[in-house]
Amino acid sequence: MCGICGIAVPKKINRRVDESLLKRMRDTLTHRGPDDAGIFLSGGIGLGHRRLSIVDLSGGHQPMPNEDGQVQIVFNGEIYNHKDHRPMLEARGHRYQTSSDTETIIHLYEEFGAAAVQHLRGMFAFAIWDANQQRLLLARDRLGIKPLYYTLSQEGELHFASEIKALIESCAVKPELNYNVLADFSANRYTSGDETLFKGIHRLPPGHTLIWQNGQIEIEQFWNVSFAKDETALSDKQYTEQFDQLFRESVRLRLMADVPLGMFLSGGIDSTAIAGVMSKLVSDQIKTFSVAFAEREANELEYARMAAQAFNTDHHEIVVTPQQFFDALPAMVYQEDEPIAHPSSIPLYFVSKLAAEHVKVVLTGEGSDELLAGYDKYRKTIYNLALGRTYNFTVPSPLRRLVKQTIENGNGSPAIRQKLARTFLCVPSDIESIYFDNFSVFSRRRQQNLFTAETRARMMESDPYKASLALMRQSDAVTMLDQLLAADMKTYLHELLMKQDQMSMAASIESRVPFLDHKLVEFSARLPERMKLRGLTTKYILRQAMADQIPGEILTRKKMGFPVPVGTWLRGQFRHLLDEYVLSARAMERGVYEPDFVQNLVARHQAGENHAERLWMLINFEIWQRRFLDGEQQHVAESSEQATRVAYAAA
């Protein structure tokens, strides 16, 4: 795991890369690679690298050249099959100077050019400068496990980096709000396409390459997951056996390291499955790490301990206080470069810090839910769409209106009415309403009141679901479930992977995701729906594969996720954060949101309605604007009324 960056200046500009500027970009990424640093400069080309040493500790210095120095690479990630290619490459005359996976990428590039990515099994983001071809190749792994951002000037000057903050440090782009993605961000918690919240800064999409040559860029897709079903159907047992074999192979591959490794253990089925397989593949006691809050509704330690005991792990835990949570928030917004989509990012940072005291690599359970339909929202959507069609066809419209009015204005339990209001009884039976709006932060209807007229005038795109709907249409998936998985794999999962990468990298440890080995992903996508979602049972094939291998209480427990009681905290001791970041004159005067709508939202939350997700987004968005758009530095100030309180001061 490392941090990479670089600058490419076209010949027409006739300017050499500024070494001091490149070093500032590189050293902004020190947390990604505290073990080593390097640069390569050649006229208008500059590559920078920060290294976290995992494989070939003494011989993996970067930027790394090929034998004659005409090809240079900076690389972030791990290639798990790099040793498999070495005999072939040596037979073709390549002379290895190291035992690192980085050098294998170079030699594969020499043999296959940009098509080298097809031979790589692992997670990666890399840049290769080819002096003979006078071209720069950027590449990102199939699922987007490793990040890669870039900005291109009108003159064709390219800057790229593992994190956005390095691009800002390069002064290649002025930090400005990208109004074009506000609708998308406000509904989905993140931006769904290649644009970011920063105007002019893009992410290279997963499974894509970018070739820069004298100021021109060409982006091509080299991988896309197919949901087409195999012509020959297998039995449930045969599918399960194949899945189990691929999963075990994926875990085994991710044990490749010359440093200590462990895993994050939540007590859910995903991480417990990894622990069970991992325990049979290593001779030493596994080191496991868990995090929780003191609040009972946000504490899974009981199940994590159960899993740790089952596999006799060397188990470590940390309990995060609300004060620690909010004290860390501004620094974590800086680490993530964009507003933090999920409050669970903060405890992830704390458990990463804990793990870093013992290991350099951890395995994690990301990807299983998007792969195998693990979220309840899939089942609810499919049922609501089906029932809604029947309901609309058989029940007269006057009666449907009466039912809806009774639910919305009745005197029954608010909790029950709120649940019914999200079903086909009140919501139109179309995918935008029953799925996207239902699980959004600010739905299309709320966004009509959320944004000021000035903001709406600056938003070139107002459809928050355009990117996701396009992904559904572009996929070869036929069924609704597979279409939802296809979209989430490139949107929601991408955000989770960025959370995992940036929070672990903030603590200078590498995280690996066995569920996202591309061979396992390809197999799982082609599975019949019944092997993913069967009745009320999610992740059916994983449960079958692990039936006799993990504790029964974990195998059958309801998915908990990682709930963070932000809503309760904001009604109590941390109410002042709403005053500072949501209701303050400074936040209101930005003119992005309608003051009356925001004030009403806060008041309704304080009165007992649950708007925790919406207020979390507003707090994060303001912190992000202060840090990146206003250029302020975070610090912690003492207050007589609060033990410690987040504050800001001009840089």
Side-chain angles (χ1 to χ4, degrees), residues 147-171:
L148 192 55
Y149 299 91
Y150 71 92
T151 183
L152 185 72
S153 73
Q154 290 184 343
E155 294 78 22
E157 185 171 335
L158 180 76
H159 291 67
F160 69 87
S162 297
E163 296 182 10
I164 292 173
K165 61 181 67 67
L167 298 179
I168 294 173
E169 186 67 25
S170 76
C171 301

Side-chain angles (χ1 to χ4, degrees), residues 85-94:
H85 294 298
R86 184 161 179 160
M88 176 271 291
L89 292 168
E90 289 180 326
R92 295 192 182 193
H94 296 282

Side-chain angles (χ1 to χ4, degrees), residues 125 145 166 174 197 233 339 460 528 589 592 606:
I145 303 168
K174 179 183 177 182
L197 267 180
M460 296 179 62
E589 288 169 1
V592 177
Q606 297 304 321

Side-chain angles (χ1 to χ4, degrees), residues 298-560:
N299 192 311
E300 291 186 277
L301 292 181
E302 171 190 355
Y303 293 99
R305 291 166 185 164
M306 185 185 301
Q309 184 176 9
F311 303 116
N312 188 33
T313 74
D314 178 11
H315 190 57
H316 306 264
E317 297 174 352
I318 184 170
V319 175
V320 180
T321 68
Q323 189 68 60
Q324 291 173 316
F325 177 92
F326 284 113
D327 282 351
L329 178 57
M332 295 303 99
V333 172
Y334 173 72
Q335 288 297 335
E336 195 147 326
D337 289 329
E338 295 182 280
I340 293 178
H342 305 284
S344 56
S345 290
I346 309 302
L348 176 57
Y349 166 73
F350 279 96
V351 75
S352 297
K353 290 286 286 185
L354 172 66
E357 298 174 5
H358 304 271
V359 299
K360 254 189 171 180
V361 177
V362 290
L363 274 62
T364 75
E366 270 75 18
S368 172
D369 292 310
E370 294 78 14
L371 205 62
L372 302 172
Y375 298 125
D376 253 1
K377 65 179 183 178
Y378 302 130
R379 176 177 56 83
K380 291 177 179 177
T381 296
I382 291 168
Y383 287 170
N384 270 292
L385 286 172
L387 292 171
R389 285 191 292 267
T390 302
Y391 178 70
N392 292 333
F393 181 75
T394 58
V395 178
S397 58
L399 183 55
R400 297 201 305 269
R401 286 195 297 270
L402 178 61
V403 170
K404 181 179 180 181
Q405 290 170 1
T406 302
I407 292 173
E408 293 176 344
N409 305 316
N411 298 319
S413 164
I416 293 176
R417 286 193 293 111
Q418 187 177 18
K419 288 184 178 181
L420 290 174
R422 298 179 64 187
T423 69
F424 65 91
L425 297 172
C426 296
V427 178
S429 296
D430 58 72
I431 192 67
E432 292 92 338
S433 303
I434 210 77
Y435 182 68
F436 290 109
D437 272 343
N438 238 345
F439 298 101
S440 68
V441 181
F442 289 102
S443 64
R444 293 171 298 176
R445 179 176 59 82
R446 282 195 168 96
Q447 287 194 20
Q448 292 174 7
N449 300 312
L450 173 66
F451 297 120
T452 63
E454 178 187 1
T455 297
R456 288 197 298 272
R458 301 178 70 173
M459 293 165 59
M460 296 179 62
E461 180 55 65
S462 60
D463 181 356
Y465 313 130
K466 182 178 181 180
S468 293
L469 288 168
L471 289 169
M472 291 175 67
R473 289 191 296 269
Q474 292 163 10
S475 169
D476 62 359
V478 175
T479 66
M480 177 55 64
L481 177 61
D482 280 348
Q483 288 175 4
L484 296 177
L485 295 177
D488 270 5
M489 201 172 291
K490 294 186 178 181
T491 56
Y492 188 74
L493 176 60
H494 183 273
E495 176 59 34
L496 293 181
L497 291 172
M498 292 305 90
K499 174 188 87 169
Q500 182 67 50
D501 174 85
Q502 288 155 333
M503 293 301 101
S504 59
M505 279 283 86
S508 300
I509 63 169
E510 175 177 288
S511 58
R512 299 177 177 178
V513 281
F515 281 106
L516 296 182
D517 183 273
H518 79 271
K519 292 184 181 294
L520 180 61
V521 170
E522 290 169 347
F523 173 80
S524 299
R526 296 193 304 271
L527 284 170
E529 280 194 5
R530 71 177 192 276
M531 300 305 297
K532 304 173 189 177
L533 180 62
R534 184 172 297 199
L536 300 179
T537 303
T538 61
K539 295 187 279 195
Y540 179 80
I541 194 170
L542 177 62
R543 297 181 195 279
Q544 291 298 110
M546 295 294 122
D548 58 351
Q549 301 179 54
I550 66 177
E553 297 92 332
I554 294 175
L555 189 71
T556 58
R557 67 179 291 226
K558 185 178 180 180
K559 182 176 178 61
M560 184 175 175

